[in-house]
Amino acid sequence: MFRDLNGYYSRPERPREPRKLSRLEEKVVIWILAFNLVAAIVAPIGGASLIEALIR
């Protein structure tokens, strides 16, 4: 089946550019990542110490 559009063709929408982080936002993200990395290393040790204290 043929559909006559009279020469009308919509253009595809251009994707929006992703927003860039400011310097302050970059620093905050880095600090949060560093804190999470330290917590991921220290938390299991602290948790094991608490369980051992509760057992004794």
Side-chain angles (χ1 to χ4, degrees):
M1 178 182 280
F2 177 73
R3 183 172 178 196
D4 186 15
L5 297 174
N6 295 328
Y8 173 76
Y9 296 101
S10 62
R11 289 188 227 159
E13 294 183 20
R14 291 176 51 184
R16 293 176 46 169
E17 302 260 342
R19 185 170 100 55
K20 298 198 180 208
L21 296 176
S22 68
R23 286 298 254 187
L24 178 62
E25 291 170 333
E26 286 180 4
K27 286 182 181 180
V28 169
V29 168
I30 290 172
W31 276 105
I32 290 171
L33 289 173
F35 175 76
N36 283 331
L37 181 63
V38 169
I41 293 170
V42 173
I45 298 169
S49 300
L50 286 175
I51 292 173
E52 184 179 352
L54 291 174
I55 291 174
R56 288 183 182 207

